[in-house]
Amino acid sequence: ADGDIHAYAPVRGRIMAGLQGDTSARIFCDGLGAELVSIAGCYKVNEDLDPLLSRARVQVRLDGERLVFESF
C-alpha cells in the first residue's frame, strides 16, 4: 500500500506500507505473523520478530530508519 494498512485480523505473508516512500505510513493489525514487514523500504523478516506479536494487536511505525513494534 502507498499509505497505512489496517488489518482487522491476523496478518500472514508479506505486509508492506509506504511503498512510495511515505515514512509516516503505519501498519495496524490484530496479530502479526507475517514473513516480511516493511514501511518505506525498511523491513524485518519473521525470524527477527518477537513471537508474542502474533497474538497481540500491533502497530508498526518508523522511527528514523528503524521499525518500531508496539502492542496495544
Side-chain angles (χ1 to χ4, degrees), residues 13-65:
R14 296 177 183 170
I15 186 163
M16 296 177 272
L19 285 177
Q20 297 295 320
D22 182 1
T23 58
S24 67
R26 294 179 183 228
I27 298 170
F28 301 89
C29 60
D30 286 342
L32 187 60
E35 66 183 45
L36 178 115
V37 179
S38 173
I39 298 179
C42 295
Y43 68 92
K44 281 208 177 220
V45 293
N46 185 282
E47 291 80 17
D48 298 331
L49 300 177
D50 183 343
L52 295 177
L53 294 175
S54 66
R55 297 186 302 269
R57 285 185 169 169
V58 178
Q59 172 185 219
V60 185
R61 62 181 175 83
L62 271 178
D63 182 14
E65 293 185 10

